[in-house]
């Protein structure tokens, strides 16, 4: 996919990885819609992007991705504002073992819902122009984590859903590529959750385990992951791919 003049929608993009993904699209000459539950930070990020990349190329929409009406409104506003939708990145995510149902709602249910809404816009077999969906999973999609069993379950689910939807897209000639992005530890706010009992709940006793893992495996920067994000979008041969990004091996793919 040529990213210049594309329209990308990224969830949870007020900060962190989503912000880095949005900026990588802007650098490629695309237009972006960033949506996030954090309105204050979202407006700051939009203003930052307007200064850096010119006005009118970034839209921010306040949205709780677990609200279907709000999610539908984001897609409608995206097409109304920029005329099309070429890229969806399901990035919004939380790590909360206390509110574990919400973790599943944000990390998996909303991702599924947004993927279906994107397909409604993109599917060539239904009059769309095709497109690309990137679902942000994690290395937690491969390995057990005593400190975060439900977060881990959500990311395992993202991989199964992504690979299955990619197979459906291929067999059904949707013209939509759907791939998963699995970073290891990245220097963003979500890592801070391991220090809070309100996030880890009864698994707070294992916080030192995950801190030791971070020490052992290292922590990436969002820009490292954004490079993989762009590669998944630009390589038209990738559908159903599971891209891993780790400090030790960099960008590589899971071979099933
Ligand atoms: N940082 C890491 O180590 C790491 C590693 C692998 C995968 N991930 C995944 O990357 C994604 C982005 O997380 P991050 O690392 O940038 O952390 P982050 O906490 O900095 O960013 C998450 C963003 O999602 C937003 N968000 C949360 N709930 C939302 C909701 N209901 N509706 C809309 N927006 C919502 C937050 O406001 C925030 O802006 C998540 O899916 C996370 O699981 C992170
Ligand atoms: C810390 C909780 C919130 C962020 C989790 C994020 O998804 C990062 C996950 C990273 C790894 C999965 C957790 C534990 C597995 C242990 C080691 C895997 C590291 C693999 C590697 O970097 O080579």
């Amino acid at each position: 996919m040529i990213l210049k003049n594309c329209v990308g929608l990224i969830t949870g993009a007020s900060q962190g990885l989503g912000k880095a993904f949005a900026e990588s699209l802007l650098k490629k000459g695309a237009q972006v819609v960033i949506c996030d539950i954090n309105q204050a930070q979202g407006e700051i990020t939009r203003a930052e992007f307007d200064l850096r990349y010119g006005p009118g190329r970034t839209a921010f929409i306040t949205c709780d991705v677990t609200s279907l009406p709000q999610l539908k409104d984001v897609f409608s506003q995206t097409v109304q504002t920029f005329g099309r939708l070429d890229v969806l990145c399901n990035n919004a995510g939380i790590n909360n073992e206390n509110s574990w149902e919400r973790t599943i709602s944000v990390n998996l249910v909303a991702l599924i819902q947004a993927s279906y809404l994107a397909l409604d816009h993109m599917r060539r077999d239904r009059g769309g122009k095709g497109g690309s969906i990137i679902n942000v999973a994690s290395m937690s999609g491969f390995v057990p984590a005593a400190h975060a069993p439900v977060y881990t379950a959500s990311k395992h689910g993202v991989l199964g859903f992504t690979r299955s939807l990619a197979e459906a897209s291929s067999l059904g000639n949707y013209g939509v590529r759907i791939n998963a992005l699995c970073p290891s530890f990245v220097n963003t706010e979500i890592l801070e959750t391991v220090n809070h009992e309100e996030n880890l709940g009864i698994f707070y006793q294992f916080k030192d385990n995950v801190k030791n893992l971070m020490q052992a495996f290292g922590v990436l920067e969002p820009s490292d992951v954004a490079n993989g994000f762009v590669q998944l979008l630009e390589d038209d041969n990738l559908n159903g791919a599971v891209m891993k990004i780790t400090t030790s091996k960099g960008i590589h793919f899971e071979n099933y």
Side-chain angles (χ1 to χ4, degrees):
M1 179 185 279
I2 305 295
L3 294 177
K4 185 169 175 54
N5 300 322
C6 273
V7 176
L9 166 58
I10 302 165
T11 68
S14 286
Q15 64 183 48
L17 282 169
K19 178 180 177 182
F21 299 152
E23 187 154 24
S24 67
L25 285 179
L26 288 165
K27 286 176 178 176
K28 288 282 184 177
Q31 299 163 109
V32 299
V33 174
I34 57 177
C35 76
D36 202 298
I37 198 168
N38 185 335
Q39 179 175 3
Q41 189 58 49
E43 294 294 357
I44 291 169
T45 296
R46 185 197 47 73
E48 182 186 320
F49 286 165
D50 282 358
L51 279 176
R52 204 171 291 168
Y53 302 103
R57 294 183 57 207
T58 304
F60 171 72
I61 303 171
T62 305
C63 171
D64 177 349
V65 294
T66 66
S67 161
L68 181 56
Q70 291 184 37
L71 208 48
K72 286 182 174 178
D73 184 54
V74 167
F75 281 85
S76 300
Q77 285 194 54
T78 297
V79 176
Q80 283 165 14
T81 304
F82 293 116
R84 53 189 293 153
L85 176 67
D86 302 298
V87 171
L88 168 67
C89 179
N90 285 302
N91 168 76
I94 63 172
N95 177 44
N96 194 313
E97 297 297 323
N98 258 334
S99 306
W100 63 266
E101 298 93 333
R102 181 148 179 91
T103 297
I104 295 293
S105 294
V106 175
N107 296 7
L108 184 55
V109 174
L111 178 145
I112 294 167
Q113 189 62 69
S115 296
Y116 289 159
L117 290 172
L119 284 178
D120 288 344
H121 287 276
M122 295 176 175
R123 285 176 62 167
R124 291 187 193 279
D125 61 320
R126 292 191 179 173
K129 297 184 174 64
S132 189
I133 297 172
I134 293 180
N135 289 329
V136 180
S138 165
M139 285 300 291
S140 292
F142 294 96
V143 294
H147 65 281
V150 172
Y151 177 90
T152 300
S154 76
K155 296 303 185 178
H156 276 66
V158 170
L159 291 186
F161 173 74
T162 300
R163 295 179 64 218
S164 301
L165 198 62
E167 190 167 292
S169 182
S170 174
L171 294 175
N173 299 309
Y174 295 177
V176 180
R177 297 187 295 109
I178 305 142
N179 295 293
L181 186 53
C182 304
S184 185
F185 301 110
V186 189
N187 181 23
T188 71
E189 202 169 281
I190 204 171
L191 287 194
E192 182 56 30
T193 61
V194 301
N195 293 313
H196 299 285
E197 191 164 4
E198 60 263 33
N199 287 91
L200 298 194
I202 60 173
F203 308 106
Y204 184 65
Q205 69 179 99
F206 306 124
K207 67 176 173 36
D208 291 334
N209 298 55
V210 64
K211 288 182 172 183
N212 293 337
L213 290 170
M214 291 181 198
Q215 285 282 345
F217 289 103
V219 178
L220 299 157
E221 288 301 318
S223 56
D224 301 321
V225 186
N227 292 334
F229 169 82
V230 169
Q231 183 177 336
L232 286 173
L233 290 177
E234 291 186 328
D235 186 343
D236 289 328
N237 296 309
L238 297 176
N239 181 47
V242 176
M243 178 187 277
K244 295 173 164 179
I245 307 181
T246 65
T247 301
S248 57
K249 295 180 182 175
I251 292 174
H252 57 298
F253 291 86
E254 180 68 7
N255 297 308
Y256 291 90

